[in-house]
Amino acid sequence: MIVAQGMEAGGHRGTFDPAAAERTDVGLFALLPHLVDRLDVPVVAAGGIADGRGVAAALALGASAVQVGTALLRSPEAAIDAGWSAALAGLAPERTVPTRAYSGRLGRAAATDYVAAWAAPDAPPAAHYPVQRALVGRWRRGDATVDRVNHWAGQSAALATTDPAGEIVTRMWAEARALLA
Ligand SMILES: Cc1cc2nc3c(=O)[nH]c(=O)nc-3n(C[C@H](O)[C@H](O)[C@H](O)COP(=O)(O)O)c2cc1C
């Protein structure tokens, strides 16, 4: 199988050329049919899928399965800290941004003050992976609710609920099946 990761996805970006990550961002709705039309192996859709509508849309576009990350982050099983979970609540898509501030590799995160500071015109460029992670690591210890701790978030973060992970997945599939019936 091949995972088609759209640029909507939260967390680190999977990329063949880390240096070109910003220039090779593609939305899932364009990426998925492009791959499905050219491949003979199952394609798994990832990026911005956080409810049954997203699952149904991805399957309609030819995906064999979906991969979900951000939609599960606020579940008890994910056990992220309270500050990160609160940052995801109601988060608008444009309030998530690609950043190298945490590790040196590109990833999508909530646009916290920390992330915004690294994007300022006079900010130094982030160091290469994994040097950046070590450089800023000392700020991540201690109070885990400060915004310098990574707040990974996909563009559909506002759809993430605090329900148990099993309920979220079961509901997503039930919604998708009803839409596809
Ligand atoms: C907290 C978190 C960490 C992630 N870390 C990685 C990673 O290290 N490498 C990677 O290729 N994808 C990573 N991802 C992306 C997921 O593999 C997946 O593509 C993504 O979560 C799907 O998009 P969504 O978050 O909108 O559901 C991460 C996602 C999250 C939410």
Side-chain angles (χ1 to χ4, degrees), residues 21-105:
E22 285 90 346
R23 301 191 301 278
T24 53
D25 268 352
V26 180
L28 186 63
F29 264 39
L31 181 62
L32 206 44
H34 184 76
L35 293 183
V36 167
D37 289 348
R38 289 163 176 78
L39 296 171
D40 293 324
V41 295
V43 176
V44 178
I49 299 170
D51 65 11
R53 293 171 296 181
V55 175
L59 296 182
L61 285 169
S64 296
V66 303
Q67 184 189 46
V68 168
T70 303
L72 298 169
L73 276 181
R74 303 187 71 208
S75 67
E77 290 86 349
I80 62 174
D81 69 68
W84 184 1
S85 182
L88 297 178
L91 186 66
E94 70 273 22
R95 292 296 297 160
T96 73
V97 290
T99 180
R100 292 179 183 263
Y102 293 116
S103 67
R105 288 196 73 157

Side-chain angles (χ1 to χ4, degrees), residues 66-164:
V66 303
Q67 184 189 46
V68 168
T70 303
L72 298 169
L73 276 181
R74 303 187 71 208
S75 67
E77 290 86 349
I80 62 174
D81 69 68
W84 184 1
S85 182
L88 297 178
L91 186 66
E94 70 273 22
R95 292 296 297 160
T96 73
V97 290
T99 180
R100 292 179 183 263
Y102 293 116
S103 67
R105 288 196 73 157
L106 195 68
R108 182 172 294 280
T112 62
D113 289 346
Y114 170 82
V115 167
W118 278 98
D122 57 345
H128 291 297
Y129 178 89
V131 175
Q132 178 77 1
R133 188 197 296 277
L135 284 175
V136 303
R138 66 198 133 136
W139 294 331
R140 300 155 62 91
R141 298 184 203 108
D143 182 0
T145 62
V146 298
D147 78 358
R148 290 170 297 215
V149 174
N150 52 319
H151 283 46
W152 297 130
Q155 290 186 328
S156 295
L159 293 174
T161 71
T162 56
D163 297 329

